[in-house]
Amino acid sequence: MFELDTSIKEWKRSLRKNPGYEDGDIEELESHLRDRIDALIDEGESEENAFRIASSEIGDVKQIATEFYKTTTTKPYLETDSGINLGILSNFVKISRRNLFRNKLYSSLNILGLVIGITSALFIYLFIQNELNYDTFHENGDRIYKVNRVIERETETSTTGITSAPFKKGLEEDFPEMIEMATHFGPDDGVVTIGDKNFMEPRFYMADENFFQIFSFPFLNGNPVTALEQPNTVVLSKQTAEKYFGAENPVGKTILVDGEKDFEVTGVFEFPEGTNSHFYFDLVASIQTYSNYRFYTEWGWNQVHTYAMLSEGVDLEDINPLLPSFMNKYFGENMTEMDRRVDIMLLPLKDVYFADYLTYDWQIDHGTKSNLYVFGIIALLIIIVAGVNFINLATARSVSRAKEVGVRKTLGARQLVLFFQFMAEALMMAFIAGILSFLLVYLTQPYFEQMIGTVISVDLFAPEILFFTIGILTITGLLAGLYPALFLSSFKPIKALKEKISFGTSQTFIRKGLIVFQFAISSLLIIGVIIINQQMNYISDKSLGFQPDQLIDITLNNSAARQQLPQMMEQFKTIPGVEETSVMSGSPGGFFDTYSFRVEDHEKVLTLNTLFIDDKLSEVFDLEMITGRDFDKVFSTDSASAMVINQKAVDFLGWSADEAVGKQIRNMYLDDEPRTVIGVVEDFHFRSLHSQIEPLAVSMSRDYRNIVLKISTDNLSSLLPQITEVWDQFSPLYPIDYRFVDEQFAQLYDSDTRQRKIFSAFSVIAIVVACLGLFGLATFNAEKRSKEMGVRKILGASIGDLLLTFNKEVLTIVGVSFFIAVPVTYFLAEEWLQNYAYRISNGMMSYLIAGVIVILLAILTVSYQTVKVAWTNPVDSLRDE
Amino acid sequence: MAASTRPLILSILKRGESYGYQIIQDVKQLSGGTLEWSDGMLYPVLHKLQKDGCIESRWVKSEEGRKRKYYSITNIGLQELQTAKDQWSSIHSVLETIWGPAQKWAI
């Protein structure tokens, strides 16, 4: 049955196959055809006849197309000498656009790959920019240095971020010429009462009067120079001021802190937009308020961060040689007694954020510089994989474009012009991909921030980001377009028109080489993901030596609770479900002190981790005593003169467990008399599994900062409210701050977990892009070899046979790339696993799994196309031509 | 394409705005059906004329919903037509002298 509309559609499609027709030409011809058909039908012709007559009257569509082509294209080719002018530029764009739309599958595969690649690169660039954007807003930033202490230890030196409060004045007084001023701040928390409302403020700093002169936080109200001069003054962040007082100017108003001290608000500051700071605070109070506290006056009480601003013209080299004598002056006696040196290390402000090696650097944000390199490299790899796709698809497709090149060269196009034409196409695709990527980044930024666990303060529309985007597009477009453009534009016209272009071995080799490269990168990333995951699972499954999910750790964070500690503990014990209670200095999975010790049989001063606890060590952690006994209230002398050490400490001190009992050990800072070892306890992990279990000295010294409750985990929903109720009873102002110890341990691996997520995500992206490319090539190959398949089928090959034939090649390629990836990955994995004291073996299994995954993915990608073509009736594939 | 096509189309358009199919019909009618080229070949010529600025075009939707591209002659077109007319009449007079009685529309 004849369908007029279908026939017209088909006729239009045949027109579209010819280059030369522009938008509107075909519509115009269609309108002509329909007018003519109407007229013929009026004359009494059937629809079918009318269509035949009308279309034949219009004539040979190819000839018309050629005429059209002449009216639009010949001129620039013939008339210009250089080959390039504005007219030809618009022609480039036009032809590029046509090619883009004519081959929708290739174009979308190419653009999709590029979009994924560029989006990843943009995200990673944003992340890197954000990391590099710390502390850049301080006017005198290049003169500001953080004062750290380098401490000699038995085997290594460690650098500590905290100092004691007297350092500030000491430095200012001893180096009046070199240090313009110094400042210090102590991170703390506090409860602020406004009217009848209490606010828990976890970022409540104390700082001296120089703080806002050295650091350039913009002031909205008040005077930064004088704001913290007087005791009992406080400066609020903009957000905090709004939270307390709404739109009113808070300067001059009073806030009540911890229910006991009044502070007058003397200023409001803000963190400048689009920048980051390595420390964040909501309120900062005058540290002078606490001038008669021990932490303010004692050189040995390390609790603040100190910064020095050098005078103009003074370099680090000028002051560095003088610093040891400063330490000798104030710590000489101390250092002789401890038999070790402590020195000052001045760290430029711009390096503080990346100084993640600083120990005890409370409430300071640090980034890891190596992450920048790792992510930068990943971004580069993904872009390369996407670029390789582009090259491969373009050269593979060149067969179908050989005729175009032939025709155009015959019509007088020079190789240079064609070269620019193909480059224009590549650039155009890159820019379409760029615009899409930019949109994608804009829309998905919040998800990315969630994944990396940081808010990106850098503006996506900042000039340097736009510049980077355009730069990366141009480079990607140029590099990816270069090879295909050279290759395509070099076709010899006669050959291209007469024969079928077949690839020389060099082209095939390059293409295969590029795929090998892509899949080597993908394999590397997949193996990496598997190893990282295995290591993280290993860590979370590894026994710590106690049951962390049964322990709740409550921070003892206020004096009211401390004063009534025994009564509170009694109350906790009465709650059903609380099996054991204990108070201690350390926090399992969190903070532990280290002190210097004099130990029997040892001449040198030794450093040990310490835990100060009541008499419940073995009970609360469920630990076995290897020898001797645990603390016991029955022995009244235990609190002043007994010590328990762990197995690791016994090994460290060179004893056997039995020898250890009875030895004398003195904490040089806290105890006047030595303590006697009464028992050795089995090792347990009190810190991250990044490090080995360390020697631990446990005593009953009264320095309690955490309450640890051992609970039965049956009925948490009723247990937690009861615990909170008891806490509130004794600490009405401070809300309870508790956490499960297993969560606390999980937090130690936060950055590892985050790395794992980012790494996994980008690996998936890389492999997807690589598969996109393979898919495109497979489509092309399957089409090209459809006749071969037809012949094979006729000769009796089954679809399975065909698949085997076509997968063999892919298997070889992927296999080769995999074996290239393995040694590289093995080396990198070994490096990474070195970070962990407790790690998986870098075994074959991960590599085998990854190999299977990569090969399966490749086979699936290729087989889809092969099956599709293999399934078609050989009659169809062999009929034409 | 015969050299006569351009002035032919311009002459038709001088009588008023028209579209491809209609122009073809006019040409056929005027030439008595003796023209040798297919309908479709008209369009490249129209485009060339437009590119040279001799005619202008606009899309119009007809009452039955069919889109048609209407062409109209411009001043440049009128000038070209005038030039062509002058050339033709001079050639015409020369040929007339040589051949005797004039032959219409046949080069």
Side-chain angles (χ1 to χ4, degrees), chain A residues 72-73 76-77 80 83-94:
Chain A
T72 51
T73 15
Y77 289 147
T80 57
I84 309 294
N85 63 12
L86 269 180
I88 211 164
L89 273 183
S90 75
N91 181 251
F92 283 164
V93 175
K94 193 188 292 166

Side-chain angles (χ1 to χ4, degrees), chain A residues 429-641:
Chain A
M429 242 183 236
F431 274 88
I432 292 177
I435 292 164
L436 291 175
S437 304
F438 213 77
L439 266 175
L440 202 61
V441 170
Y442 180 72
L443 293 175
T444 56
Q445 190 170 335
Y447 302 101
F448 179 68
E449 286 175 347
Q450 215 172 6
M451 185 171 84
I452 61 167
T454 339
V455 173
I456 297 210
S457 59
V458 178
D459 186 13
L460 181 61
F461 296 98
E464 67 264 25
I465 306 280
L466 292 175
F467 189 74
F468 169 82
T469 314
I470 292 173
I472 198 153
L473 292 181
T474 315
I475 293 172
T476 314
L478 287 180
L479 285 183
L482 191 65
Y483 176 71
L486 281 173
F487 175 63
L488 284 168
S489 62
S490 67
F491 283 156
K492 298 273 172 298
I494 297 180
K495 225 178 158 190
L497 284 173
K498 270 175 77 178
E499 302 163 19
K500 276 211 154 164
I501 285 282
S502 57
F503 291 108
T505 40
S506 73
Q507 277 86 39
T508 319
F509 186 75
I510 288 180
R511 245 191 16 245
K512 282 186 184 158
L514 288 172
I515 301 177
V516 166
F517 183 62
Q518 277 187 318
F519 272 83
I521 292 175
S522 304
S523 309
L524 187 151
L525 292 172
I526 289 183
I527 303 171
V529 168
I530 292 176
I531 290 178
I532 291 177
N533 277 301
Q534 282 183 345
Q535 172 66 20
M536 296 312 292
N537 289 340
Y538 174 76
I539 281 189
S540 59
D541 292 347
K542 184 170 165 54
S543 166
L544 296 166
F546 58 94
Q547 293 291 324
D549 56 334
Q550 289 181 5
L551 296 181
I552 291 181
D553 178 357
I554 305 169
T555 313
L556 200 49
N557 56 4
N558 66 93
S559 52
R562 262 191 291 270
Q563 276 157 18
Q564 302 180 70
L565 189 59
Q567 295 92 311
M568 182 156 59
M569 298 307 282
E570 282 309 314
Q571 286 285 319
F572 279 135
K573 273 179 201 150
T574 63
I575 301 173
V578 173
E579 293 178 352
E580 204 61 73
T581 64
S582 177
V583 285
M584 58 189 75
S585 60
S587 158
F591 177 82
F592 276 76
D593 312 274
T594 52
Y595 278 93
S596 301
F597 287 87
R598 282 260 179 236
V599 184
E600 192 177 335
D601 305 338
H602 290 268
E603 290 212 348
K604 284 201 118 189
V605 172
L606 298 171
T607 312
L608 299 172
N609 288 279
T610 55
L611 177 63
F612 310 121
I613 194 170
D614 58 4
D615 56 339
K616 291 289 191 291
L617 172 69
S618 56
E619 287 90 340
V620 78
F621 288 117
D622 263 332
L623 300 171
E624 299 282 330
M625 299 303 292
I626 291 170
T627 181
R629 61 174 180 86
D630 188 8
F631 303 111
D632 199 326
K633 276 191 181 136
V634 176
F635 302 93
S636 57
T637 50
D638 271 8
S639 64
S641 59

Side-chain angles (χ1 to χ4, degrees), chain A residues 25 28 32 35 38 57-58, chain B residues 39-40 43 47 66 68 71:
Chain A
D25 293 350
E28 196 177 9
H32 178 110
D35 280 341
D38 288 351
E57 277 179 0
I58 282 187
Chain B
D39 292 3
Y43 291 94
H47 284 220
R66 189 161 295 161
R68 285 186 181 127
Y71 297 90

Side-chain angles (χ1 to χ4, degrees), chain A residues 117 181 323 623:
Chain A
M181 58 171 80
L323 293 172
L623 300 171

Side-chain angles (χ1 to χ4, degrees), chain A residues 289-512:
Chain A
T289 319
Y290 308 93
S291 57
N292 50 4
Y293 280 55
R294 277 181 73 192
F295 87 86
Y296 191 75
T297 50
E298 282 190 25
W299 279 90
W301 196 300
N302 296 304
Q303 197 170 333
V304 298
H305 301 281
T306 305
Y307 293 78
M309 185 161 88
L310 301 188
S311 308
E312 293 210 45
V314 175
D315 285 335
L316 211 48
E317 292 91 68
D318 301 328
I319 191 167
N320 268 341
L322 309 173
L323 293 172
S325 60
F326 175 85
M327 290 306 280
N328 292 342
K329 179 174 167 192
Y330 295 100
F331 292 92
E333 229 174 85
N334 202 272
M335 290 194 288
T336 325
E337 191 195 350
M338 297 281 186
D339 192 25
R340 70 178 50 159
R341 273 206 71 82
V342 177
D343 277 302
I344 288 181
M345 188 264 273
L346 293 181
L347 188 68
L349 183 67
K350 65 176 171 48
D351 297 334
V352 175
Y353 177 65
F354 287 115
D356 54 355
Y357 52 84
L358 292 178
T359 57
Y360 297 109
D361 220 17
W362 291 323
Q363 292 200 18
I364 298 288
D365 288 342
H366 286 300
T368 314
K369 202 151 203 177
S370 61
N371 271 354
L372 300 193
Y373 299 123
V374 171
F375 291 140
I377 289 170
I378 291 180
L380 196 67
L381 290 181
I382 293 179
I383 284 265
I384 290 174
V385 170
V388 164
N389 272 359
F390 190 96
I391 296 173
N392 274 340
L393 287 175
T395 43
R397 237 183 62 193
S398 52
V399 169
S400 50
R401 297 196 65 179
K403 290 221 157 50
E404 178 191 339
V405 173
V407 169
R408 300 178 71 171
K409 279 200 166 172
T410 316
L411 289 173
R414 294 144 188 262
Q415 182 170 351
L416 188 68
V417 174
L418 285 174
F419 173 79
F420 281 117
Q421 169 62 50
F422 289 118
M423 288 307 274
E425 278 183 42
L427 280 176
M428 190 158 167
M429 242 183 236
F431 274 88
I432 292 177
I435 292 164
L436 291 175
S437 304
F438 213 77
L439 266 175
L440 202 61
V441 170
Y442 180 72
L443 293 175
T444 56
Q445 190 170 335
Y447 302 101
F448 179 68
E449 286 175 347
Q450 215 172 6
M451 185 171 84
I452 61 167
T454 339
V455 173
I456 297 210
S457 59
V458 178
D459 186 13
L460 181 61
F461 296 98
E464 67 264 25
I465 306 280
L466 292 175
F467 189 74
F468 169 82
T469 314
I470 292 173
I472 198 153
L473 292 181
T474 315
I475 293 172
T476 314
L478 287 180
L479 285 183
L482 191 65
Y483 176 71
L486 281 173
F487 175 63
L488 284 168
S489 62
S490 67
F491 283 156
K492 298 273 172 298
I494 297 180
K495 225 178 158 190
L497 284 173
K498 270 175 77 178
E499 302 163 19
K500 276 211 154 164
I501 285 282
S502 57
F503 291 108
T505 40
S506 73
Q507 277 86 39
T508 319
F509 186 75
I510 288 180
R511 245 191 16 245
K512 282 186 184 158

Side-chain angles (χ1 to χ4, degrees), chain A residues 166-228:
Chain A
F167 267 85
K168 181 226 158 195
K169 216 166 221 121
L171 286 167
E172 279 178 343
E173 283 171 4
D174 289 15
F175 303 103
E177 304 284 307
M178 298 205 163
I179 294 178
E180 189 175 318
M181 58 171 80
T183 185
H184 55 199
F185 64 84
D188 201 358
D189 51 28
V191 171
V192 173
T193 312
I194 308 284
D196 55 355
K197 273 193 189 152
N198 290 333
F199 299 94
M200 175 70 202
E201 294 295 353
R203 298 189 302 184
F204 191 145
Y205 280 16
M206 322 170 264
D208 64 290
E209 71 283 0
N210 290 344
F211 184 76
F212 284 111
Q213 294 177 61
I214 290 184
F215 297 115
S216 318
F217 294 103
F219 261 53
L220 304 174
N221 292 106
N223 181 353
V225 180
T226 55
L228 293 176

Side-chain angles (χ1 to χ4, degrees), chain A residues 235-246:
Chain A
V235 175
L236 310 181
S237 75
K238 192 180 156 208
Q239 287 79 5
T240 310
E242 281 166 6
K243 184 169 77 177
Y244 294 166
F245 303 109

